[in-house]
Amino acid sequence: MHGKIEAALEKVYGEAQPWGDLAGGAIRGYAVDLPLPHWHLITIGTGRQGYELSLRVARGPADAAPPDWCIALLLDRREQPLAPGHLTRMNPRGSLTALALTVDPEFDVLDTLTFLQVAALTEAEYEQARTGHVVPTLWRIGQDVPLHIIDPAQR
C-alpha cells in the first residue's frame, strides 16, 4: 500500500520534498503556495481501511508548522470506518463547527485506495448537509474555498 501512496504523492508533488513526516511518520506534510499558501497533510498507512485522509489548512507567512489541532484531528479519525459524505462535529475553530469528507480533488481514486479530504463547515452548512445535501453543500463551499483549504480566520 505504501507504494501506491508514494506514487500518488509523486504524481501530485513531483520532486518536491515534503515539509516533514509528522506523528512518527503517520502523516506527511507539504507546504504549498497555490492556490493559497497552505499545509497539505496526508495520512500514511491507513490504506488498509481503503482510504488515506488529507487536510488542507491555511498557512500564514510566520507559520513554521501546521497547527497541532489538524494533526490531532487526522490521528483521531484515521482508524475509523469513513467514506465520502461522512459528517461529524469538531471543536469549534472560529465559525467552523463540523467536518465533512469528500474525495481529494488532486488525487486519483485508485482501485483499492481513495484519498478522503477533510472539509470544514459552519453550523448552517452542517445543518444543510445533514438533511441529505452533503454533495451540493460541499460543491457550494468549494466555489468560495479553493481545494477546501480550512481557514478558521476567514469563515
Side-chain angles (χ1 to χ4, degrees):
M1 195 60 70
H2 260 285
K4 287 183 180 184
I5 297 166
E6 294 302 328
L9 291 172
E10 185 175 327
K11 187 173 181 179
V12 172
Y13 288 110
E15 297 295 318
Q17 292 298 309
W19 171 82
D21 286 328
L22 308 164
I27 298 173
R28 178 88 39 94
Y30 290 86
V32 182
D33 292 324
L34 297 173
L36 305 167
H38 66 280
W39 299 104
H40 188 193
L41 307 175
I42 303 107
T43 61
I44 304 293
T46 60
R48 64 187 172 280
Q49 301 273 5
Y51 63 85
E52 295 293 344
L53 294 173
S54 78
L55 181 147
R56 292 176 173 85
V57 63
R59 179 174 52 89
D63 292 343
D68 289 340
W69 67 266
C70 295
I71 296 163
L73 187 144
L74 289 175
L75 291 174
D76 286 347
R77 285 163 177 79
R78 68 186 179 149
E79 296 297 330
Q80 297 176 6
L82 300 171
H86 178 84
L87 293 169
T88 186
R89 292 283 188 180
M90 72 175 202
N91 290 331
R93 301 283 171 192
S95 65
L96 303 173
T97 61
L99 304 170
L101 294 179
T102 186
V103 174
D104 190 309
E106 291 192 319
F107 290 105
D108 294 332
V109 175
L110 306 172
D111 55 339
T112 59
L113 181 65
T114 302
F115 288 86
L116 296 177
Q117 182 175 337
V118 176
L121 301 118
T122 63
E123 186 63 26
E125 292 162 345
Y126 174 73
E127 289 303 323
Q128 182 181 22
R130 270 179 21 131
T131 61
H133 299 97
V134 176
V135 172
T137 299
L138 288 172
W139 181 85
R140 189 189 55 71
I141 293 168
Q143 299 305 299
D144 298 326
V145 181
L147 294 174
H148 287 282
I149 297 169
I150 300 170
D151 188 350
Q154 296 296 316
R155 290 187 60 218

